[in-house]
Amino acid sequence: DTEVTQTPKHLVMGMTNKKSLKCEQHMGHRAMYWYKQKAKKPPELMFVYSYEKLSINESVPSRFSPECPNSSLLNLHLHALQPEDSALYLCASSQDGPNSGNTIYFGEGSWLTVV
Amino acid sequence: AQSVTQLDSQVPVFEEAPVELRCNYSSSVSVYLFWYVQYPNQGLQLLLKYLSGSTLVKGINGFEAEFNKSQTSFHLRKPSVHISDTAEYFCAVSMPGTASKLTFGTGTRLQVTL
């Protein structure tokens, strides 16, 4: 059972909508991640927060805006998305950053469809 | 920068047969290596990881992997698979001591049939 909880599980939004994906973990982890996964492809890193500060932004378009309100929560704000942004968005967390060898725990993901 | 190659996009196998999923990495420095499994419509779950020490790593669900530095490989094995092992398997690498990311291979679809 995953201890990284993501909501909503499914989201359909129009290109002019503003929506948010939410992620929560209660494992005391200090690093949190957003990944994007297209069908039949590996996950691609979008953002890394370490100790509530953005440490990695993989050149993600500004229509995706991450937010880390506290050490347990991670949001991904979505605005003016394109149909090609439709994908599975995975949140993850680890005790520390990926360079430490700590296990990265993934949530079940949020399926996003942009129409 | 590091990279990961999974040579097989699909591996069909009969139930109770052994299986090996291949993973090769490229890096000029030492790396951490991981295998993740993704069941249909689910997130990723860690099977096992190699950080240092013994080159034979045992994971969950009866899987094991062997780190081979000279061949830069980290192949995943299971002596007898079950139908429930049908899933996508991803090999991944990260670099210790830097602010680098977890880099995934392209994945191998393991299809177990009766």
Side-chain angles (χ1 to χ4, degrees), chain A residues 20-100:
Chain A
S20 297
L21 305 180
K22 299 184 182 299
C23 176
E24 188 170 10
Q25 58 88 12
H26 293 290
M27 295 179 281
H29 289 172
R30 302 315 300 266
M32 296 188 75
Y33 312 77
W34 280 114
Y35 282 84
K36 174 183 178 180
Q37 187 178 23
K38 301 284 280 184
K40 301 187 185 301
K41 297 290 187 182
E44 297 177 350
L45 183 66
M46 300 174 72
F47 304 103
V48 180
Y49 273 83
S50 181
Y51 292 85
E52 300 170 44
K53 294 191 185 303
L54 184 64
S55 62
I56 296 178
N57 177 342
E58 290 289 300
S59 302
V60 179
S62 60
R63 58 186 184 269
F64 295 92
S65 175
E67 178 195 20
C68 188
N70 59 55
S71 60
S72 300
L73 295 173
L74 185 66
N75 299 322
L76 186 62
H77 301 300
L78 314 170
H79 175 53
L81 295 193
Q82 302 298 311
E84 58 264 29
D85 296 321
S86 298
L88 177 66
Y89 288 83
L90 292 163
C91 176
S93 71
S94 64
Q95 187 172 353
D96 205 333
N99 52 300
S100 63

Side-chain angles (χ1 to χ4, degrees), chain A residues 1-34:
Chain A
D1 291 339
T2 181
E3 296 185 62
V4 177
T5 305
Q6 291 187 241
T7 55
K9 293 195 183 305
H10 298 272
L11 177 63
V12 179
M13 61 184 292
M15 289 188 284
T16 58
N17 291 158
K18 287 185 180 181
K19 297 286 185 182
S20 297
L21 305 180
K22 299 184 182 299
C23 176
E24 188 170 10
Q25 58 88 12
H26 293 290
M27 295 179 281
H29 289 172
R30 302 315 300 266
M32 296 188 75
Y33 312 77
W34 280 114

Side-chain angles (χ1 to χ4, degrees), chain B residues 52-89:
Chain B
S52 65
S54 173
T55 57
L56 182 63
V57 180
K58 294 189 182 298
I60 63 171
N61 301 340
F63 284 93
E64 65 179 32
E66 185 159 18
F67 171 63
N68 188 318
K69 187 175 181 179
S70 62
Q71 297 186 9
T72 61
S73 68
F74 190 55
H75 300 333
L76 181 70
R77 302 184 182 99
K78 185 170 182 177
S80 176
V81 296
H82 301 285
I83 291 285
S84 59
D85 293 322
T86 294
E88 192 81 21
Y89 291 79

Side-chain angles (χ1 to χ4, degrees), chain A residues 35 37 40-43 45 56 58 88 90 98-109 111, chain B residues 32 34 36 38 41-44 46 49 51 90 94-102 104-106:
Chain A
Y35 282 84
Q37 187 178 23
K40 301 187 185 301
K41 297 290 187 182
L45 183 66
I56 296 178
E58 290 289 300
L88 177 66
L90 292 163
N99 52 300
S100 63
N102 294 127
T103 298
I104 296 179
Y105 294 87
F106 286 84
E108 298 280 317
W111 291 93
Chain B
Y32 294 144
F34 306 81
Y36 280 86
Q38 186 173 31
N41 300 317
Q42 294 189 24
L44 280 73
L46 181 72
K49 63 182 179 181
L51 304 183
F90 292 99
S94 70
M95 290 173 60
T98 69
S100 62
K101 60 185 181 182
L102 188 65
F104 287 91
T106 51

